Amino acid sequence: MPDGPLLHLIEPASWRAALSEGVLRPPSLADVGFIHLSTPEQAHLPAERLFPGRRDLALLVVDPQRLRDPVRWEPGVPEDPASMRFPHLHGPLPTTAVTAVVPYRPPAPPVLPGPDDPLGRALALQLSVAVRRAADVRDVPGGVAVSDARFPRSRDDNRLLLSSPVDADTVEDTAAGMGWFARAATLRFPGADDVAHELAQRGWSVEEIVLMGRPATQVPGGERAEVVPQEVVHPLWERSWRELLGSGRDDVVAELVDREFRNDAVVAVTDVVVREEGLVVAAGQLRVDGGTAAVDSVLTDGAARGHGHAGAVLARILTLAADAGCDLVVLEAAGDDWPRHWYARAGFTELGSTWDVFAPAQTGANTDSSR
């Protein structure tokens, strides 16, 4: 039978529910005793039968070596070719066997990273989370545009995600046509640095985003970091955004804090903090998406820096990722800032880069947009 990954097509809400349970148990498991899987060459068949015309679905990339129950190759429906056999999992699907979750938006072929491809898995997570949480997703040259009118000044929620090569003119023209407060794009394709540098010459702001990864292992030193409900972190986030944006931006700060709930709607989010005298002074976030976890939003109050709080937060996050059964932890770090080197000392290695580009503010335009 074919080697390589197996796939399962799913609605994002069903995948999020499975992340909370740790296993996926679709109705077919009770009805016929197995879960329908497919090879990459077969995925279009269940899509056409079960979800005709749908382009908001996700493909779970399953590593067969991580399954506990047998996979049997059996006939599909009578309409399928007589010689075709489909992989059927005779038991629940552990979420940790899913090494990547990728958008399914035919006719564009999905990019399916292997379990031993940390860069591919990091890129898949970067794209998939943004697409799954977006209020609106549109096809554009080179990729997709994600938008959310609830957060108009969030460049993280209103941007182009370009995974296939395009030139600088295409980036400019496409971004200009979106009607956003700020024109923003993430360039994710080989050779994107050349396009980013050309945009920089045209006045765009350019930031290299270094993708980093390490194995998920239990790490000592996180005992004083605690898991909390996300609203406990809001005051720290508010202080951090005010420090960055300056005074008089309370409406922008409120929008940037309010947007954070959208992540837990698509991946399993855990917020970790350290307190000094009861006040939250450091925090970080773990996002689990099957066997891949991500570190995000690690920050420390200015007055509390130098006390090892961020290290305690990171140690607790890595331990939680290992406890959740993840094998890979990834993150994004600014290419020109010191945290990149701090993460390297914590065992993260550089996997590759993407490029965030932001158009210069137009006269009279709102300039409060933030990542």
Side-chain angles (χ1 to χ4, degrees), residues 228-243:
V228 297
Q230 189 171 105
E231 56 267 23
V232 174
V233 194
H234 285 184
L236 175 61
W237 285 345
E238 291 168 357
R239 295 195 301 272
S240 177
W241 279 116
R242 288 196 184 97
E243 180 182 338

Side-chain angles (χ1 to χ4, degrees), residues 155-189:
R155 297 186 299 204
D156 205 27
D157 292 279
N158 301 277
R159 58 174 166 154
L160 309 177
L161 292 161
L162 306 179
S163 302
S164 297
V166 293
D167 57 24
D169 288 340
T170 300
V171 176
E172 282 197 313
D173 293 344
T174 305
M178 300 307 300
W180 295 327
F181 280 142
R183 291 169 288 163
T186 298
L187 310 181
R188 301 163 26 87
F189 49 84

Side-chain angles (χ1 to χ4, degrees), residues 35-369:
I35 297 175
H36 294 272
L37 302 177
S38 64
T39 67
E41 295 75 23
Q42 297 170 328
H44 67 285
L45 295 172
E48 292 166 357
R49 283 197 292 262
L50 302 175
F51 305 102
R54 292 278 296 273
R55 304 183 72 242
D56 61 338
L57 304 170
L59 277 174
L60 306 183
V61 182
V62 179
D63 179 3
Q65 302 302 317
R66 305 183 190 205
L67 298 174
R68 297 190 291 264
D69 292 294
V71 174
R72 299 183 181 127
W73 294 80
E74 299 167 326
V77 299
E79 293 79 10
D80 293 328
S83 61
M84 182 173 287
R85 295 292 184 267
F86 285 83
H88 292 159
L89 173 61
H90 287 259
L93 172 59
T95 56
T96 52
V98 176
T99 57
V101 183
V102 301
Y104 184 69
R105 295 181 61 80
V111 178
L112 307 174
D116 298 323
D117 178 11
L119 174 59
R121 291 171 64 178
L123 287 168
L125 185 67
Q126 182 189 65
L127 176 65
S128 183
V129 170
V131 168
R132 279 182 275 159
R133 74 188 179 200
D136 181 61
V137 183
R138 303 182 214 175
D139 294 326
V140 297
V144 296
V146 294
S147 300
D148 197 324
R150 297 170 296 178
F151 314 110
R153 287 165 290 198
S154 169
R155 297 186 299 204
D156 205 27
D157 292 279
N158 301 277
R159 58 174 166 154
L160 309 177
L161 292 161
L162 306 179
S163 302
S164 297
V166 293
D167 57 24
D169 288 340
T170 300
V171 176
E172 282 197 313
D173 293 344
T174 305
M178 300 307 300
W180 295 327
F181 280 142
R183 291 169 288 163
T186 298
L187 310 181
R188 301 163 26 87
F189 49 84
D193 53 335
D194 292 334
V195 178
H197 293 152
E198 183 173 345
L199 288 167
Q201 293 173 354
R202 302 182 186 187
W204 286 55
S205 299
V206 172
E207 182 177 13
E208 181 186 12
I209 302 299
V210 179
L211 303 177
M212 307 183 73
R214 59 155 287 164
T217 58
Q218 294 187 341
V219 177
E223 295 76 15
R224 57 196 171 101
E226 59 180 298
V227 174
V228 297
Q230 189 171 105
E231 56 267 23
V232 174
V233 194
H234 285 184
L236 175 61
W237 285 345
E238 291 168 357
R239 295 195 301 272
S240 177
W241 279 116
R242 288 196 184 97
E243 180 182 338
L244 179 65
L245 298 176
S247 60
R249 306 288 183 90
D250 285 355
D251 57 337
V252 181
V253 169
E255 181 180 312
L256 297 176
V257 172
D258 288 346
R259 70 182 181 176
E260 289 301 320
F261 78 90
R262 75 215 193 292
N263 293 309
D264 193 55
V266 297
V267 294
V269 170
T270 302
D271 288 282
V272 174
V273 305
V274 169
R275 305 179 196 253
E276 282 186 351
E277 298 179 355
L279 178 68
V280 172
V281 295
Q285 191 172 89
L286 169 68
R287 301 175 184 176
V288 171
D289 201 24
T292 308
V295 178
D296 205 275
S297 304
V298 176
L299 73 158
T300 306
D301 255 341
R305 291 170 189 160
H307 299 167
H309 297 327
V313 166
L314 182 60
R316 184 68 187 275
I317 286 174
L318 291 172
T319 297
L320 289 170
D323 291 345
C326 301
D327 68 300
L328 175 66
V329 183
V330 299
L331 58 83
E332 299 179 12
D336 61 354
D337 207 356
W338 66 266
R340 169 183 181 179
H341 307 292
W342 182 75
Y343 286 120
R345 293 193 295 273
F348 285 85
T349 59
E350 296 186 7
L351 307 175
S353 294
T354 59
W355 297 82
D356 283 352
V357 295
F358 310 109
Q362 297 175 327
T363 303
N366 187 311
T367 58
D368 290 339
S369 299

